[in-house]
Amino acid sequence: EVQLQASGGGLVQAGGSLRLSCAASGFTSDNYAIGWFRQAPGKGREGVACIDYRHSTLYSTYYEDSVKGRFTVSSDNAKNMYYLQMNTLEPEDTAVYYCAADESVFPKLQIMCRPDFFDDWGQGTQVTVSS
């Protein structure tokens, strides 16, 4: 089981930026996926961005349409740290953000960037964007 801890949320004005961090540990495979998800009040959890790693090397990324061009994922694999840089934030981005991991190959990332494909979850971090 991969342990994850997300941090970096906060309150920001529309147009501002935040960087979320996810510390991960406990990997037993070098093929895995990292997912960033969010859940707004009264809504289901949705995939924001997912990254497929093969032999610990970034293989592919997926961004949900509403965040393309605004959010960017990155990582420091040596430290097992994963990041979600969020720019030009909008009030609609307000949600609890989660990082998740699954030690599987994700051949169709755009389809598999969904909560039910991920086994391991960190606690969420609140992001609030004021208008």
Side-chain angles (χ1 to χ4, degrees):
E1 180 181 354
V2 180
Q3 291 80 46
L4 305 119
Q5 184 168 355
S7 61
L11 173 64
V12 64
Q13 289 188 331
S17 298
L18 281 174
R19 188 177 81 156
L20 304 184
S21 299
C22 178
S25 62
F27 288 104
T28 60
S29 170
D30 60 0
N31 297 324
Y32 57 93
I34 297 292
W36 288 96
F37 297 86
R38 66 186 179 186
Q39 188 164 16
K43 295 187 177 180
R45 196 168 295 187
E46 65 172 356
V48 174
C50 289
I51 315 97
D52 181 25
Y53 292 91
R54 308 281 176 91
H55 305 297
S56 298
T57 300
L58 190 151
Y59 185 78
S60 64
T61 57
Y62 162 82
Y63 293 94
E64 193 271 329
D65 284 347
S66 70
V67 308
K68 282 180 182 176
R70 301 189 299 122
F71 290 12
T72 305
V73 295
S74 63
S75 64
D76 182 341
N77 290 68
K79 296 181 179 180
N80 281 340
M81 290 295 299
Y82 303 87
Y83 305 100
L84 180 68
Q85 178 67 43
M86 306 186 295
N87 298 328
T88 321
L89 282 161
E90 303 169 352
E92 293 73 22
D93 296 316
T94 295
V96 177
Y97 283 71
Y98 301 86
C99 59
D102 196 273
E103 295 187 280
S104 303
V105 171
F106 278 54
K108 297 182 178 181
L109 199 56
Q110 67 273 25
I111 296 173
M112 299 174 74
C113 190
R114 288 170 28 189
D116 50 338
F117 281 100
F118 286 78
D119 282 342
D120 303 314
W121 292 81
Q123 90 292 353
T125 185
Q126 176 71 47
V127 171
T128 303
V129 184
S130 63
S131 57

